Amino acid sequence: RIMLTRRWALLGIFVLWTAVLAGPAPLLAQPDPELSAEQAELDAGADLSSRARRALFRARAQQDNGAHAEAAEIITTWLADDPDRDHHLLRFNLAVSYLALERPADALASLERSVALAPRFARGWLRLGEAAYELEKYRQAGEAFGRAYDLSPDRRPEILYYAGVSLLSGGQPGPALSRLMLLLDLHAAEASLEWYQALLAAAIDAGQAGRA
């Protein structure tokens, strides 16, 4: 979370009160059925071989039991035997275990491979954002969160917020401002004080206070 000064908090209260007086804007973001179908297909991994599917099943069973080291070993052994059998779901689940084992750098590398194999895999981008943020790679985190939002059928506003504040933390106030303005345009009915504070901070840092 970005730590905003009291000055920005007071400005945020003013802007929020102005928005309340003006009344909420319509909620424009709607679930996208085409994206839902696309993400369901990517999550299903229909192109996995039967043997790879069994390896993934065993790894997920270990994850369900909290045995993430064992899960990671199953997947890495599978991949080491034949690198050509790589798959975005294998890399994604490997990263899930790495994150649970507090190995964010390994998780990030695995997630970068996952989205390289499946560039439209929303869950891969979301986890990549989490791993990058944990490593304080804020610009990469912001870009990943933004990609996750764009590809997610349900368009969860918190993902777009994470994109904006991560970009702002990464010294990218212009792109942060664009993301945060989109957040308030599409999800005004759900707006919180934090959103307005982040918007103002991004606008001021970008030298565009008049857009806030």
Side-chain angles (χ1 to χ4, degrees):
R1 175 181 295 184
I2 290 179
M3 300 301 295
L4 298 171
T5 66
R6 186 171 181 273
R7 175 187 175 195
W8 305 144
L10 292 173
L11 284 169
I13 291 169
F14 172 76
V15 172
L16 180 58
W17 179 244
T18 302
V20 169
L21 291 177
L27 183 64
L28 300 179
Q30 300 294 333
D32 187 322
E34 291 186 5
L35 281 177
S36 294
E38 178 186 48
Q39 294 306 315
E41 183 176 347
L42 287 167
D43 286 336
D47 54 338
L48 277 166
S49 68
S50 59
R51 290 183 60 207
R53 193 175 299 277
R54 286 195 296 271
L56 185 58
F57 178 82
R58 294 200 316 274
R60 285 175 171 170
Q62 294 288 353
Q63 290 172 335
D64 290 342
N65 291 328
H68 287 281
E70 290 79 359
E73 184 176 1
I74 289 170
I75 297 173
T76 53
T77 299
W78 170 262
L79 292 171
D81 287 344
D82 187 353
D84 292 336
R85 297 182 296 183
D86 210 347
H87 192 276
H88 69 277
L89 288 179
L90 292 170
R91 292 290 180 172
F92 176 82
N93 281 274
L94 179 58
V96 168
S97 287
Y98 281 153
L99 286 170
L101 294 167
E102 299 183 354
R103 295 169 57 181
D106 290 329
L108 181 62
S110 191
L111 288 161
E112 287 173 338
R113 179 60 179 159
S114 179
V115 297
L117 291 165
R120 295 187 61 80
F121 183 36
R123 287 199 299 146
W125 285 109
L126 181 58
R127 283 286 193 167
L128 196 158
E130 293 172 0
Y133 193 91
E134 187 170 345
L135 292 165
E136 299 183 359
K137 296 185 175 185
Y138 297 122
R139 179 174 180 174
Q140 184 179 14
E143 291 169 352
F145 283 133
R147 189 74 173 138
Y149 177 85
D150 293 340
L151 294 170
S152 297
D154 52 358
R155 301 290 169 85
R156 288 161 48 200
E158 63 269 23
I159 300 176
L160 193 52
Y161 172 74
Y162 297 151
V165 296
S166 296
L167 289 167
L168 185 55
S169 291
Q172 300 291 311
L177 180 60
S178 297
R179 283 296 185 179
L180 293 164
M181 290 183 69
L182 181 63
L183 173 66
L184 286 163
D185 283 344
L186 297 182
H187 302 281
E190 303 161 83
S192 69
L193 177 59
E194 275 187 327
W195 295 7
Y196 287 103
Q197 290 172 336
L199 176 70
L200 281 161
I204 290 169
D205 286 358
Q208 301 182 51
R211 295 183 66 189

